[in-house]
Amino acid sequence: DSGVTQTPKHLITATGQRVTLRCSPRSGDLSVYWYQQSLDQGLQFLIQYYNGEERAKGNILERFSAQQFPDLHSELNLSSLELGDSALYFCASSKIGIQETQYFGPGTRLLVL
Amino acid sequence: DAKTTQPPSMDCAEGRAANLPCNHSTISGNEYVYWYRQIHSQGPQYIIHGLKNNETNEMASLIITEDRKSSTLILPHATLRDTAVYYCIVRPLNRDDKIIFGKGTRLHILP
């Protein structure tokens, strides 16, 4: 158990819909990262938040957005869903600082029908 | 970030040591070598990391060559639960942002 929690574990929805994925980092970790893993793309970095502020952006679509709240949990919002958004979404957290190890949550499996 | 090269797959007999190689010939002096693994559709699991000295923890040992151009992850007594995709990653010392995952090595532990 990494100490990072993600809800829900599974999500099934229809095209055009909007969903919210939630992540709670390990106690004391200020940084949260979101990654997407689809069958053909492997693990791809989406976005990072540190202490409530966006810190780095990867290949995140404009239809996707995220935020980190004062209690440090984070939410990833996916809207206007398409079939190709079906994937595993992982959250990771780390303390801030040089060479901090990222610890990953169990993931949310999203299926868009 | 320096590029890493890993074999796409490997087999290892249960109870034997699994030695997973990684080539990172373009690594620079401020880059660490990290290893993660992913057991079928679970979140990636941190294993170990190192800069230039060999490292050991309860999960594995990391052997880095003197020129730092390659490394080997050693699982000393592999079990069926070690079947996973293993990722070798090189990350700069002074960065705390994204991890760039390659394709990794799919390790099959054979009973």
Side-chain angles (χ1 to χ4, degrees):
Chain A
D1 183 0
S2 67
V4 178
T5 61
Q6 290 187 248
T7 57
K9 283 187 178 179
H10 304 277
L11 202 46
I12 302 174
T13 189
T15 55
Q17 295 297 305
R18 173 190 169 96
V19 297
T20 297
L21 312 184
R22 182 188 168 103
C23 168
S24 293
R26 294 187 320 154
S27 176
D29 285 0
L30 298 178
S31 262
V32 170
Y33 311 77
W34 287 96
Y35 292 82
Q36 178 193 55
Q37 186 174 33
S38 53
L39 277 174
D40 57 346
Q41 292 290 327
L43 272 157
Q44 301 280 322
F45 168 73
L46 294 178
I47 197 164
Q48 177 198 3
Y49 276 80
Y50 166 64
N51 205 21
E53 300 288 328
E54 182 184 304
R55 188 175 177 95
K57 236 175 182 178
N59 301 320
I60 187 166
L61 299 172
E62 285 191 13
R63 299 183 286 107
F64 295 1
S65 65
Q67 53 184 328
Q68 186 179 25
F69 294 87
D71 66 354
L72 301 177
H73 91 271
S74 178
E75 293 180 355
L76 180 67
N77 300 296
L78 315 176
S79 61
S80 303
L81 284 167
E82 302 175 359
L83 297 177
D85 297 326
S86 296
L88 280 162
Y89 291 85
F90 293 106
C91 165
S93 75
S94 73
K95 299 186 192 331
I96 195 67
I98 294 173
Q99 274 304 315
E100 293 292 350
T101 299
Q102 291 183 26
Y103 293 90
F104 285 76
T108 293
R109 183 180 291 275
L110 174 66
L111 180 60
V112 182
L113 300 175
Chain B
D1 292 1
K3 183 178 167 59
T4 62
T5 303
Q6 299 179 254
S9 67
M10 291 181 63
D11 293 338
C12 179
E14 190 177 18
R16 304 296 294 269
N19 297 283
L20 293 96
C22 179
N23 184 291
H24 31 79
S25 58
T26 60
I27 194 170
S28 59
N30 69 340
E31 290 182 315
Y32 275 79
V33 179
Y34 271 76
W35 284 83
Y36 280 80
R37 73 179 181 184
Q38 187 175 24
I39 297 169
H40 181 62
S41 295
Q42 296 180 22
Q45 179 187 23
Y46 165 76
I47 301 173
I48 199 167
H49 74 280
L51 184 62
K52 54 183 178 181
N53 297 319
N54 298 338
E55 302 286 347
T56 295
N57 63 20
E58 65 279 3
M59 286 184 68
S61 294
L62 174 60
I63 309 297
I64 303 174
T65 58
E66 196 168 337
D67 63 7
R68 302 209 323 123
K69 293 187 176 183
S70 65
S71 60
T72 301
L73 178 75
I74 301 172
L75 308 178
H77 304 287
T79 71
L80 296 177
R81 288 177 295 180
D82 293 321
T83 293
V85 177
Y86 287 76
Y87 297 98
C88 171
I89 297 151
V90 171
R91 296 182 71 206
L93 175 69
N94 59 349
R95 256 185 32 201
D96 69 316
D97 61 1
K98 64 179 184 256
I99 294 175
I100 300 173
F101 288 89
K103 296 188 185 304
T105 295
R106 187 171 294 276
L107 177 65
H108 297 102
I109 304 301
L110 307 174

